[in-house]
Amino acid sequence: MSTRRGGRRPGKPDTREAILTAARTTFAERGFDAASIRAIATAAGVDPALVHHYFGTKEELFRATVAIPIDPAELLPGVLAGGPDEVGARLVRTFLTVWDSPVGTAAVALLRSAVNNEWTARLLREFLVTQVLRRVLDRLDLDPAETPLRGALVGAQMAGLAMMRYVIRLEPIASAAPETLVAAIGPTVQRYVTGPLDAA
């Protein structure tokens, strides 16, 4: 008589990839906030506990789906340190530090893929909004009604910098010293974060 139980899929070598595939689809379709570990587990055909076993928290699973080997939560305290007046410069400096490092190779690959693939674009958009921009702006004393626009403006500036420096490699931006770019772009990002948004 067999004692094998039916139901959830045991931990097999392909289980991790099945969870990642289900997570990519769920995050892209529902967004980070609406996606749940239970929904992802159901789509993958596994128990939710197995998702936690392989990936830990929802944030860690999300980072795995976009193949970003850094945790923004570890970097953002440095961006926010010292108050809001220089957050633009600190944000640009942190951005360049990450993208100029070996981790930047994965970020460039993700950016290239997002240009040509709508699913990747959705995942990257969710990552930027929920894991980076929201975590910065929500800790500043800003008008909540303006936060989405401010975040989008910062995202547009940083995405443009990434494209010009690391993908298109437009000179002299591509080879400029990081502090040169911090000095040039930081004030613009600062205005997006704390400056007036209405027309003069």
Side-chain angles (χ1 to χ4, degrees), residues 39-113:
I40 292 167
T42 298
V46 302
D47 190 284
L50 205 54
V51 178
H52 289 294
H53 169 73
Y54 278 104
F55 297 100
T57 66
K58 185 169 84 165
E59 288 79 5
E60 290 170 318
L61 173 59
F62 186 44
R63 288 200 307 274
T65 65
V66 294
I68 295 292
I70 58 166
D71 182 356
E74 297 177 358
L75 301 173
L76 295 183
V79 174
L80 295 167
D85 293 340
E86 293 295 326
V87 70
R90 291 193 299 268
L91 190 58
V92 174
R93 185 176 293 111
T94 301
F95 176 88
L96 291 169
T97 298
V98 171
W99 282 69
D100 285 346
S101 75
V103 172
T105 302
V108 171
L110 180 63
L111 182 60
R112 288 181 185 275
S113 179

Side-chain angles (χ1 to χ4, degrees), residues 19-194:
I19 294 170
L20 276 176
T21 299
R24 288 187 189 102
T25 300
T26 305
F27 283 131
E29 290 179 346
R30 301 185 184 186
F32 175 81
D33 293 331
S36 69
I37 291 292
R38 183 170 297 278
I40 292 167
T42 298
V46 302
D47 190 284
L50 205 54
V51 178
H52 289 294
H53 169 73
Y54 278 104
F55 297 100
T57 66
K58 185 169 84 165
E59 288 79 5
E60 290 170 318
L61 173 59
F62 186 44
R63 288 200 307 274
T65 65
V66 294
I68 295 292
I70 58 166
D71 182 356
E74 297 177 358
L75 301 173
L76 295 183
V79 174
L80 295 167
D85 293 340
E86 293 295 326
V87 70
R90 291 193 299 268
L91 190 58
V92 174
R93 185 176 293 111
T94 301
F95 176 88
L96 291 169
T97 298
V98 171
W99 282 69
D100 285 346
S101 75
V103 172
T105 302
V108 171
L110 180 63
L111 182 60
R112 288 181 185 275
S113 179
V115 172
N116 298 308
N117 185 291
E118 176 58 26
W119 287 103
T120 307
R122 291 182 188 180
L123 290 172
L124 180 57
R125 188 163 55 243
E126 281 294 307
F127 179 82
L128 289 174
V129 170
T130 66
Q131 304 301 301
V132 181
L133 298 174
R134 184 192 296 171
R135 290 184 176 188
V136 172
L137 299 179
D138 283 355
R139 286 165 175 77
L140 303 174
D141 187 21
L142 303 173
D143 181 350
E146 294 180 347
T147 299
L149 177 57
R150 290 184 185 279
L153 290 169
V154 173
Q157 186 71 45
M158 305 309 281
L161 173 59
M163 285 294 295
M164 292 302 106
R165 183 170 173 88
Y166 303 102
V167 178
I168 297 175
R169 301 196 59 79
L170 177 67
E171 292 293 357
I173 292 175
S175 59
E179 285 303 314
T180 299
L181 298 177
V182 170
I185 299 171
T188 299
V189 174
Q190 185 69 40
R191 181 171 63 83
Y192 292 154
V193 174
T194 60

